[in-house]
Amino acid sequence: MNETKQEMNKIQEIKKVNKYSFKKDLIFLLLKILLIICVMFLIFSFVYGIARTNDISMKPAIKDSDLVLYYRLDKNFVSGDVVVFKKNNRIMMSRVVAVAGDQVDITKDGLLINGAVQISQDIYSDTTQFKDGTDYPLTVGQGQVFVLGDNRTVASDSRIYGCLNINDIKGKAIAVIRTRGI
């Protein structure tokens, strides 16, 4: 009988320890989750960003309503990079076609960068000037890039508003997440 009481006391002590351990583990788990959320918030506030496309300027590479993940810290753009920027209170995406020091001209032959005609596989329409747009030829200034949308017939790009300042660019696109029409 005495042994049974001792066993019962041991079982009650184990239950108390397990109950305390469960609460401690739960609090520790919640702290870990909170820490992960804070780290993700910081990463997506200062290193990466996400933008939703709301036009067809980059079609077919980036379609309307696609999500674009972009990297904020790299400001060394090269021809071919897709950049995310804000213009006229809209988030936009376009492809860099010329960087500082390059001469851009749009003629009946198409897009010329430093006198060479540019041919792109994924561009399905001719590059033309807009009537009330930028005057050509132009030289891209220091700290600027010249951008064009892939859907050249309807794209709102540097042909309208001129070169972009690098400081106005939010970042370089690194991934596209399709939200429909896969």
Side-chain angles (χ1 to χ4, degrees), residues 161-172:
Y161 45 74
C163 296
L164 284 178
N165 289 323
I166 289 178
N167 295 333
D168 295 337
I169 297 174
K170 290 180 162 288
K172 185 186 304 187

Side-chain angles (χ1 to χ4, degrees), residues 53 55-64 93-95 120 122-128 130 147-157 159-160:
T53 310
D55 65 6
I56 58 172
S57 291
M58 285 299 294
K59 193 174 179 181
I62 303 172
K63 297 177 181 178
D64 185 26
M93 286 129 214
S94 289
R95 190 173 306 277
S120 298
D122 298 329
I123 307 301
Y124 302 112
S125 58
D126 293 332
T127 305
T128 59
F130 289 136
V147 296
L148 294 175
D150 287 355
N151 191 358
R152 303 277 164 90
T153 54
V154 297
S156 176
D157 51 32
R159 293 175 292 172
I160 297 170

Side-chain angles (χ1 to χ4, degrees), residues 6 22 44 58 78 84 102 108-109 111 118 124 133:
Q6 287 177 350
F22 177 73
F44 278 94
M58 285 299 294
V78 295
V84 177
D102 287 344
K108 61 178 174 35
D109 297 328
L111 175 66
Q118 303 298 302
Y124 302 112

Side-chain angles (χ1 to χ4, degrees), residues 47-180:
V47 180
Y48 295 101
I50 296 177
R52 179 178 295 278
T53 310
N54 56 8
D55 65 6
I56 58 172
S57 291
M58 285 299 294
K59 193 174 179 181
I62 303 172
K63 297 177 181 178
D64 185 26
S65 80
D66 284 349
L67 295 176
V68 175
L69 177 67
Y70 60 93
Y71 183 61
R72 298 175 192 263
L73 301 179
D74 186 6
K75 297 293 184 175
N76 296 320
F77 302 112
V78 295
S79 183
D81 287 343
V82 174
V83 294
V84 177
F85 57 97
K86 191 170 189 176
K87 197 72 166 174
N88 300 327
N89 293 323
R90 288 181 45 208
I91 300 292
M92 303 174 73
M93 286 129 214
S94 289
R95 190 173 306 277
V96 174
V97 295
V99 295
D102 287 344
Q103 185 178 25
V104 179
D105 198 3
I106 298 177
T107 66
K108 61 178 174 35
D109 297 328
L111 175 66
L112 285 87
I113 305 293
N114 298 326
V117 176
Q118 303 298 302
I119 300 172
S120 298
Q121 294 176 338
D122 298 329
I123 307 301
Y124 302 112
S125 58
D126 293 332
T127 305
T128 59
Q129 292 185 17
F130 289 136
K131 288 181 181 180
D132 296 326
T134 307
D135 294 324
Y136 299 97
L138 70 88
T139 301
V140 180
Q142 287 298 322
Q144 295 182 326
V145 292
F146 190 88
V147 296
L148 294 175
D150 287 355
N151 191 358
R152 303 277 164 90
T153 54
V154 297
S156 176
D157 51 32
S158 288
R159 293 175 292 172
I160 297 170
Y161 45 74
C163 296
L164 284 178
N165 289 323
I166 289 178
N167 295 333
D168 295 337
I169 297 174
K170 290 180 162 288
K172 185 186 304 187
I174 57 174
V176 176
I177 302 166
R178 296 268 186 242
T179 59
R180 64 180 182 161

Side-chain angles (χ1 to χ4, degrees), residues 26-38:
L26 183 62
I27 291 171
F28 190 65
L29 176 65
L30 292 175
L31 286 174
K32 280 183 181 180
I33 291 171
L34 183 64
L35 179 68
I36 289 170
I37 290 171
C38 288

